[in-house]
């Protein structure tokens, strides 16, 4: 389990690297071998089942669709399977369309990136926020989807005009001064949609369809309301902890607006993505602005993120909305485009993992997950068990449980590791893998850990062949009570600690409770899910704040009144 933190810490979570160039890609000089189509189908079928919600996938290379397929059900109740014609919600993949529309208005002279909201809403408390700051999530305007209960409650089911939607957040206190920080923000893209409507005199999606998509011959990409009959519309599903797979709750798509309301087929998104990145939509300087990194926002540009995949420069964006998860990936050097649209929200592995896997495969640099799993003797696994030092403050442990090897980075979740060779292991539901490093005498000296983004491993030196269990401290009820309360990880998202009997529980907004155990008077942990919390305790009274440690993140959270 990971706390589903909003993208406040997006740059740290993604561990993205710098894109090595802003020019649109030329065709590579040499071809890499293209894997057979049935290999892509086999990968897709390994992730989704035919009798469950699933996904549609398109893989292109050098402007040729090399795979288009689908696995799973478009309608579980009517037993209708997904196909390449299935239309799904794009969620936040919508943002690149909105950003490109804004850049087209800039090119046409109707708008400038340093224009402020005063041009459209002169009396707004956010009149000094610029178009640039809306595009790259540095405006400081609170995201309306972070308002407690908004996404999970009745507000998302209420039809709203653009002006009514603006009214939900335009008078809220800012999260921070404009331009001073990055915080992923749906409100900013609603405002961009409103600006498109003001300048074009059209609905925001009509402008995108007629100005950007029609010249490319792209159809079936629109904000499609729920009421009209739409052929090939896929229903959305999600996982309920008690009932299993359930219908996603109904929402009005007037709510996600230009931040996430477009629907399309995977083929249409692939056609759009190739056109955008190959210079058919915008002028070179406009496209460069969309993927330009920023000192404040890091790798997030305008509706797109720059990073790398196994050392290859990558541009991408993911999305999530009730019943759907999506991912669109572009590898500039090999001109590989991958689109994954899923109507199975919460299913693991996520569409981004599948998209990265297929992109690396198409680029001729497959991850070891493509290798066949093998069985290793228990004595071999036990030989690798131990504690490994990554740096002065961080360790990784390899543990054998029930004949299986598990890897856990300090502050992270334990993951099952499957062997694909005598010394190479891949993590469950992940593209991350590691190789054991052996000394000349055959003894284990360390482990090389390869993250998704980098071709350079993180080395950890073996310091012990034992895994020392963390020692739990015995605290009195009075000591535990000083830790209780709500702590704000970000606006609208808190983690609350409470006692049930003698057990200390933690629960984040919209998520289930889980036990935490004291290691000292100021520190609690759950090794199983890789969470630690350090409390700031004054001389007397309750803790004033905590710092949450998970997956390499350190997130401060002040105490708030519930």
């Amino acid at each position: 389990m990971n706390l589903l933190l909003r993208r406040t810490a997006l740059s740290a979570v993604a561990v993205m690297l710098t894109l090595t160039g802003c020019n649109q890609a030329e065709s590579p000089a040499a071809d890499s071998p293209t894997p057979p189509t049935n290999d892509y189908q086999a990968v897709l079928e390994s992730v989704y089942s035919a009798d469950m919600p699933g996904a549609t996938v398109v893989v292109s290379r050098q402007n040729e669709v090399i795979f288009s397929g689908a696995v799973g059900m478009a309608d579980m109740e009517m037993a209708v399977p997904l196909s390449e014609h299935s239309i799904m919600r794009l969620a936040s993949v919508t943002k690149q369309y909105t950003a490109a529309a804004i850049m087209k208005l800039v090119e046409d002279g109707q708008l400038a990136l340093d224009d402020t909201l005063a041009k459209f809403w002169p009396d707004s408390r956010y009149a000094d926020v610029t178009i640039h700051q809306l595009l790259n999530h540095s405006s400081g305007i609170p995201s309306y989807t972070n308002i407690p209960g908004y996404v999970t409650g009745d507000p998302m089911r209420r039809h709203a005009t653009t002006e009514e939607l603006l009214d939900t957040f335009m008078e809220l206190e800012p999260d921070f001064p404009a331009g001073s920080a990055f915080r992923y923000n749906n409100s900013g893209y609603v405002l961009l949609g409103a600006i498109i409507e003001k300048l074009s005199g059209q609905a925001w999606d009509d402008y995108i369809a007629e100005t950007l998509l029609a010249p490319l011959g792209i159809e079936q990409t629109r904000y499609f309301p729920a009421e009209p009959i739409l052929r090939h519309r896929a229903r959305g599903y999600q996982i309920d902890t008690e009932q299993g797979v359930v219908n996603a709750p109904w929402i009005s798509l007037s709510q996600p607006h230009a931040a996430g309301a477009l629907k399309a087929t995977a083929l249409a998104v692939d056609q759009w993505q190739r056109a955008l990145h190959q210079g058919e939509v915008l002028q070179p300087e406009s496209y460069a602005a969309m993927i330009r990194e920023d000192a404040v926002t890091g790798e997030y540009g305008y509706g797109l993120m720059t990073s790398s995949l196994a050392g290859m420069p990558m541009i991408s964006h993911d999305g999530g909305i009730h019943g759907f998860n999506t991912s669109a990936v572009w590898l500039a050097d090999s001109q590989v485009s991958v689109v994954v649209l899923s109507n199975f929200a919460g299913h693991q592995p996520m569409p981004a993992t599948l998209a990265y896997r297929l992109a690396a495969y198409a680029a001729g640099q497959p991850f070891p997950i493509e290798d066949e799993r093998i069985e290793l003797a228990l004595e071999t696994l036990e030989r690798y068990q131990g504690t490994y030092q990554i740096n002065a403050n961080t360790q990784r442990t390899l543990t054998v449980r029930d004949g299986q090897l598990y890897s856990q980075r300090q502050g992270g979740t334990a993951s099952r590791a499957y062997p694909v060779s005598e010394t190479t292991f891949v993590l469950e539901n992940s593209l991350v893998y590691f190789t054991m490093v052996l000394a000349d005498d055959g003894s284990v000296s360390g482990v090389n850990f390869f993250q998704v983004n980098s071709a350079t491993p993180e080395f950890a030196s073996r310091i012990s062949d034992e895994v020392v269990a963390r020692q739990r401290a015995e605290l009195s009820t009075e000591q535990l009570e000083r830790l209780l309360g709500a702590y704000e990880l970000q606006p609208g998202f808190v983690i609350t600690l409470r006692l049930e009997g003698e057990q200390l529980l933690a629960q984040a907004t919209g998520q289930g409770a889980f036990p935490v155990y004291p290691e000292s008077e100021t520190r609690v942990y759950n090794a199983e899910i890789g969470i630690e919390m350090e409390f700031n305790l004054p001389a007397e009274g309750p803790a004033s704040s905590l710092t949450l440690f998970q997956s390499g993140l350190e997130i401060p959270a002040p105490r708030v009144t519930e």
Side-chain angles (χ1 to χ4, degrees), residues 18-19 21-23 103 113 132 136 284-306 315:
T18 303
L19 186 69
C22 285
N23 295 325
M103 296 311 298
L113 292 175
H132 165 76
N136 72 358
E285 58 271 22
S286 298
Y287 174 76
M290 287 187 66
I291 62 171
R292 184 177 297 125
E293 296 193 1
D294 184 275
V296 173
T297 63
E299 69 279 351
Y300 200 100
Y302 296 167
L304 293 168
M305 292 182 66
T306 60
I315 302 170

Side-chain angles (χ1 to χ4, degrees), residues 253-473:
L253 284 178
S254 65
Q255 289 287 336
H257 205 266
L262 285 182
K263 299 190 193 76
T265 64
L267 282 166
V269 179
D270 170 73
Q271 188 179 350
W272 156 260
Q273 180 163 253
R274 288 186 282 121
L276 175 65
H277 295 305
Q278 293 177 326
E280 298 177 33
V281 178
L282 298 171
Q283 297 172 7
E285 58 271 22
S286 298
Y287 174 76
M290 287 187 66
I291 62 171
R292 184 177 297 125
E293 296 193 1
D294 184 275
V296 173
T297 63
E299 69 279 351
Y300 200 100
Y302 296 167
L304 293 168
M305 292 182 66
T306 60
S307 57
S308 65
L309 179 67
M312 298 178 284
M314 177 174 73
I315 302 170
S316 65
H317 208 291
D318 304 331
I321 198 169
H322 302 65
F324 298 84
N325 287 120
T326 60
S327 184
V329 168
W330 172 256
L331 301 182
D333 288 352
S334 53
Q335 293 190 339
V336 166
S337 165
V338 178
V339 177
V340 180
L341 306 182
S342 173
N343 67 334
F344 199 179
H347 176 71
Q348 296 292 335
M350 296 290 281
T353 299
L354 177 58
Y356 298 163
R357 180 178 175 181
L358 295 175
Y361 201 58
Q365 297 188 38
F367 286 95
I369 193 174
E370 310 305 342
D371 299 336
E372 185 176 354
R373 294 177 181 177
I374 64 172
E375 296 288 335
L376 292 181
L378 180 61
E379 62 185 34
T380 300
L381 299 179
E382 290 177 339
R383 179 180 169 215
Y384 298 147
Q385 182 170 267
T387 301
Y388 298 78
Q389 195 74 38
I390 298 172
N391 55 45
N393 301 313
T394 311
Q395 295 178 345
R396 181 179 297 281
T397 59
L398 298 181
T399 309
V400 177
R401 300 202 303 261
D402 301 323
Q404 303 294 331
L405 191 66
Y406 288 82
S407 170
Q408 184 169 19
R409 182 187 175 103
Q410 187 174 335
T413 306
S415 298
R416 184 173 174 180
Y418 294 92
V420 295
S421 77
E422 186 82 11
T423 57
T424 302
F425 295 78
V426 298
L427 298 190
E428 187 172 30
N429 289 330
S430 173
L431 303 181
V432 175
Y433 66 99
F434 62 88
T435 58
M436 306 307 302
V437 180
L438 306 182
D440 292 339
D441 62 1
S443 63
V444 179
S445 61
V447 59
N448 276 328
F449 224 82
F450 293 83
Q451 299 292 344
V452 173
N453 61 294
S454 179
T456 302
E458 174 190 76
F459 176 72
S461 176
R462 191 179 197 183
I463 59 173
S464 173
D465 59 2
E466 296 182 352
V467 178
V468 180
R470 300 184 73 160
Q471 298 300 310
R472 298 181 185 178

